[in-house]
Amino acid sequence: MATHRIKATDEPGSAPFKAGVSSRGEGNVIDLAPDCALSGRIEVTGARNRLTIASGATLERYAPAGFGATVPDIGKRSDASLLIEGDDNVVEIASGARLGMNIVIRGNGNRIRIGPETWLHGFANLITDGATLTVGARTTMVQGSLQLHEPLTLSIGEDCMISSQVYVSVSDIHPIRDRVSGARINPGRPVEIGDHVWLGLRTMVMKGARIGHGAITAAGSIVSGEVPPHSLVGGAPARVMRNDVAWSRDLDLDAPVAVEPPPRRGWRLFGR
């Protein structure tokens, strides 16, 4: 299918410029499928940036509902839904993706790839050089916050369900140093979230987390290490609460309910 190609020399309002899209700099290319829907503004500033929005995709600005997980990058104010400032950045939004997001890229050589039929609502900040954010097909997110402030990778698999007010970051964002040597003691680490993972309400996924296929994090979990596949974890820090679990998006009221054995009680030899 043909796409609109917008170059930095084009003037807003001229064909093939879409309303709400601006590009300033040299060699920027914005490819928009004719049937993509844009209700949020796009601003691209810099050189050799590339944005592709495929057929049937929707991009609109994030509108917080109640308590938000965090705020967008506050270094510079902008009302754009997608803001790119820098050189050689690439953003690819696949067919059928529905995004109600504020996406900010400030830096060079960053990559964002969002898979088909995703439904994402929240923030994504890439305030660095050389970071990569990938989101797999059919993944959903409600009021989430994805943060990359170091040149690392944040990977989210297919068919994940990210609940309200979930925060995911590859770093602590601000450095901590040893006072004597001056060496930094809190470097960032990549985050990997497998396919079909359910992140419960207000989960925090911290640097270095690796969450296996089919896993579940309980509400309020803080995850910073390895989560085995098909496990349920919870707590701060998160610990395995149960293994061999499976989850689905649809509530089946006819399914049998597991009966847990009562806790064992020992005799109290002393006490009042």
Side-chain angles (χ1 to χ4, degrees):
M1 180 177 291
T3 58
H4 298 290
R5 174 156 292 205
I6 302 172
K7 296 183 179 179
T9 54
D10 291 333
E11 292 296 328
S14 65
F17 223 97
K18 257 185 182 285
V21 179
S22 66
S23 175
R24 299 185 301 275
E26 298 181 357
N28 296 317
V29 175
I30 303 176
D31 287 341
L32 305 177
D35 63 343
C36 73
L38 304 179
S39 60
R41 293 200 317 110
I42 295 174
E43 297 179 6
V44 180
T45 304
R48 301 175 303 280
N49 296 293
R50 189 172 81 247
L51 167 64
T52 303
I53 302 181
S55 175
T58 300
L59 177 64
E60 60 185 24
R61 185 168 169 79
Y62 168 64
F67 177 78
T70 185
V71 296
D73 172 61
I74 59 174
K76 299 178 183 177
R77 295 293 182 181
S78 173
D79 62 352
S81 177
L82 174 56
L83 176 66
I84 300 175
E85 293 183 347
D87 302 334
D88 301 305
N89 298 291
V90 176
V91 177
E92 299 173 351
I93 301 173
S95 61
R98 294 183 296 159
L99 308 184
M101 296 191 72
N102 294 340
I103 301 173
V104 175
I105 296 178
R106 287 195 171 100
N108 306 314
N110 297 289
R111 301 289 184 267
I112 295 180
R113 296 181 179 89
I114 297 176
E117 305 301 327
T118 50
W119 189 94
L120 307 177
H121 184 244
F123 301 109
N125 291 327
L126 283 73
I127 316 299
T128 185
D129 298 330
T132 299
L133 168 64
T134 61
V135 181
R138 303 179 308 283
T139 284
T140 60
M141 180 175 76
V142 182
Q143 284 188 270
S145 177
L146 309 177
Q147 301 290 326
L148 293 95
H149 286 70
E150 297 192 33
L152 296 165
T153 298
L154 195 169
S155 173
I156 302 173
E158 297 184 356
D159 191 35
C160 292
M161 187 165 66
I162 303 176
S163 304
S164 297
Q165 301 164 25
V166 169
Y167 178 89
V168 186
S169 180
V170 300
S171 73
D172 299 330
I173 299 180
H174 304 289
I176 302 174
R177 293 185 170 87
D178 181 88
R179 291 184 62 192
V180 177
S181 67
R184 185 181 176 190
I185 61 175
N186 68 331
R189 288 179 289 166
V191 170
E192 181 179 345
I193 300 172
D195 297 334
H196 195 63
V197 168
W198 177 5
L199 301 180
L201 175 72
R202 296 183 183 174
T203 291
M204 297 183 70
V205 181
M206 310 307 290
K207 61 183 184 180
R210 293 171 55 90
I211 303 178
H213 175 87
I216 305 168
T217 67
S221 300
I222 299 181
V223 182
S224 60
E226 194 90 15
V227 174
H230 302 291
S231 64
L232 169 63
V233 302
R239 296 285 187 266
V240 174
M241 302 167 65
R242 186 159 187 159
N243 291 302
D244 296 323
V245 298
W247 66 271
S248 62
R249 294 177 183 269
D250 298 324
L251 178 61
D252 183 3
L253 296 177
D254 296 325
V257 177
V259 177
E260 300 290 341
R264 297 183 62 182
R265 292 187 177 182
W267 289 98
R268 294 180 62 189
L269 299 179
F270 303 99
R272 296 179 183 148

